[in-house]
Amino acid sequence: MVLNAFSMNCVSHIQQGMWTRADTRQVEFGSLDPWIELAKVAEKGCFDTIFLADVIGLYDNYKGNADTSFREAMQVPVNDPMLLIPAMAAVTEHLGFAFTSSILQAHPFTFARQLSTLDHLTDGRVAWNIVTSYLPNAGSNLGFDGLPGHEERYARADEYLEIIYKLLEGSWADDAVVNDRQRRMYVNPDRVRPINHRGPHYDVAGPHLSAPSLQRTPVLFQAGMSETGREFAAQHAECVFVVGSSRSGPAIAADLHQRALSYGRSDSDLMLIGGVAPIVGGTEAEALEKRDEYEKDLSIEAGLAHISGNIGADLGDIDPAEPLENFRTEGVQGFVKNLLDSAPPGTRTMGDLVRSNLAGAWLVGSAEQVADELQRRFESGLDGFNLTYTVTPGTFVDFVEGVVPILQERGLVQTEYSTGSLRRKLFGSDKLPASHPAAKFRF
Ligand SMILES: Cc1cc2nc3c(=O)[nH]c(=O)nc-3n(C[C@H](O)[C@H](O)[C@H](O)COP(=O)(O)O)c2cc1C
């Protein structure tokens, strides 16, 4: 069972309002210490990665502005996730680090070099969460006239990935670095080549400026749930986040595997990761008590601002009784669809959605109960979980101390790390397999 600690380099990520509590380190996000503590907790729990979300714009449509987002620290201020990784890598040996970067935000040539640098510095422990962005302000920040359309963003993503593959997989041969002091040859120039990419969005000559790292292309994470998003995931992704209930989850998993097969990839090339926010108590009663206490600190206002940004519709003056179907937009079609699909019968209004979304898929119980439920979901087709925190690092500490030993006892979670790169730990080899589209660009 893959376990990722899900976080973001900001004050308030998903469970809005919780930053006001004394037992969370969220407001310290701008210094290294809480991240170093988190990395150590995650490695103690044999987690596979710390997974860092990111946005590149404001949630500014709720009541027509970003005031609520600023007041509630709702994903703003938000710092660059990538820059935390070397510090966390220095205090850990095996833990992986997945970070989010939008295909809109950095030129692919620049980004390819950042990926290689991080993969070198961490001995191959890096994963990239590929996103296409959904906040219009992100588009405006990056020289687009608002957010490019949904299909256009995925078309850009296809070209972006092609350039990344050409640079990371195809520009330097495995034996390009000779490092021979006697012959005074560090790189054999015959074993490095330009990529000369010309496409609708980018022209990139190359060659890549970094030498090949252990994984070459870092492990690829992705979370698209729309039709186009699933097609993209089926071709490129190695770990896919499945948004959906335990009811819709298995169907989504089967669909993604089927699509991957049609691209010549095998079932074992793709892992499906669900999301869960565990609230673990010594007993069920203790866990429920904790939940009741947490619930008092949730901010409905910030939750509404968050969802408004996610679905691209201002919920500033909506009727909480209004059905969610009325809010389908260009923005994040799959997100809304899956929220709808995951709502229990009779709870399909916006009011219901806000409450359940704020609680971030809370799974409340004793360590034994939480382990039971994760095992059930695992056995119904998921390969692992992103764990969302209520308080940090407290939520992760509770999980590592209570739930992990039970899952280890059941043989579901590793008791020690295997050696090698993140991809080797997850999939058994350092490099992408021959069935992956990147392979055709190899030197
Ligand atoms: C677990 C998870 C994490 C995500 N993290 C981010 C993120 O950090 N930044 C971002 O812009 N989008 C993030 N997304 C949104 C997805 O990248 C994607 O835009 C969304 O699922 C809609 O995709 P679709 O349009 O194909 O349905 C995340 C989604 C999920 C389920």
Side-chain angles (χ1 to χ4, degrees), residues 243-295:
V243 194
S245 64
S246 41
R247 277 179 297 122
S248 60
I252 296 170
D255 176 65
L256 280 166
H257 277 301
Q258 193 53 46
R259 287 173 197 254
L261 282 178
S262 77
Y263 289 106
R265 302 179 69 203
S266 71
D267 273 354
S268 58
D269 289 343
L270 201 66
M271 285 195 182
L272 303 178
I273 312 292
V276 71
I279 297 183
V280 183
T283 60
E284 184 182 11
E286 203 181 292
L288 289 169
E289 206 173 297
K290 239 184 193 176
R291 181 203 56 193
D292 292 346
E293 204 204 308
Y294 288 153
E295 227 163 26

Side-chain angles (χ1 to χ4, degrees), residues 6 51-55 100 129-134 150 153-154 223-226 228-230 241 243 331-335 386:
F6 194 27
F51 166 40
L52 298 165
D54 194 31
V55 290
T100 300
N129 179 37
I130 308 161
V131 301
T132 53
S133 294
Y134 51 83
H150 190 261
R153 299 203 298 281
Y154 275 111
M225 279 295 111
S226 61
T228 324
R230 289 190 199 196
F241 303 117
V243 194
V332 191
Q333 302 153 2
F335 181 83
N386 275 338

Side-chain angles (χ1 to χ4, degrees), residues 167-284:
L167 291 167
L168 298 184
E169 301 286 334
S171 188
W172 291 56
D174 285 341
D175 58 1
V177 176
V178 182
N179 189 13
D180 185 335
R181 289 190 168 102
Q182 252 81 50
R183 286 163 65 204
R184 305 193 71 86
M185 182 190 275
Y186 189 79
V187 176
N188 179 348
D190 297 335
R191 305 299 287 158
V192 180
R193 63 184 186 187
I195 67 165
N196 292 323
H197 173 89
R198 288 193 168 274
H201 307 102
Y202 302 101
D203 291 338
V204 180
H208 190 35
L209 292 180
S210 300
S213 61
L214 187 52
Q215 301 185 110
R216 283 187 179 256
T217 301
V219 176
L220 300 172
F221 283 29
Q222 205 262 351
M225 279 295 111
S226 61
E227 180 67 23
T228 324
R230 289 190 199 196
E231 280 295 298
F232 183 88
Q235 292 172 70
H236 299 282
E238 299 176 274
C239 295
V240 184
F241 303 117
V242 181
V243 194
S245 64
S246 41
R247 277 179 297 122
S248 60
I252 296 170
D255 176 65
L256 280 166
H257 277 301
Q258 193 53 46
R259 287 173 197 254
L261 282 178
S262 77
Y263 289 106
R265 302 179 69 203
S266 71
D267 273 354
S268 58
D269 289 343
L270 201 66
M271 285 195 182
L272 303 178
I273 312 292
V276 71
I279 297 183
V280 183
T283 60
E284 184 182 11

Side-chain angles (χ1 to χ4, degrees), residues 394-423:
T395 298
F396 300 117
V397 172
D398 290 346
F399 189 87
V400 165
E401 290 179 354
V403 183
V404 168
I406 297 171
L407 294 172
Q408 286 173 326
E409 190 136 302
R410 296 180 188 176
L412 294 169
V413 164
Q414 59 193 352
T415 51
E416 57 184 45
Y417 288 99
S418 52
T419 54
S421 65
L422 178 59
R423 182 175 287 111

Side-chain angles (χ1 to χ4, degrees), residues 113-187:
R113 191 160 69 129
Q114 292 171 316
L115 286 176
S116 292
T117 305
L118 280 173
D119 206 50
H120 277 295
L121 290 174
T122 61
D123 278 328
R125 289 194 274 151
V126 175
W128 168 32
N129 179 37
I130 308 161
V131 301
T132 53
S133 294
Y134 51 83
L135 297 168
N137 181 237
S140 305
N141 289 336
L142 297 162
F144 300 96
D145 187 15
L147 195 63
H150 190 261
E151 298 308 299
E152 165 65 11
R153 299 203 298 281
Y154 275 111
R156 276 186 171 271
D158 279 327
E159 187 183 355
Y160 198 94
L161 269 284
E162 185 177 323
I163 296 165
I164 297 287
Y165 298 152
K166 285 175 174 172
L167 291 167
L168 298 184
E169 301 286 334
S171 188
W172 291 56
D174 285 341
D175 58 1
V177 176
V178 182
N179 189 13
D180 185 335
R181 289 190 168 102
Q182 252 81 50
R183 286 163 65 204
R184 305 193 71 86
M185 182 190 275
Y186 189 79
V187 176

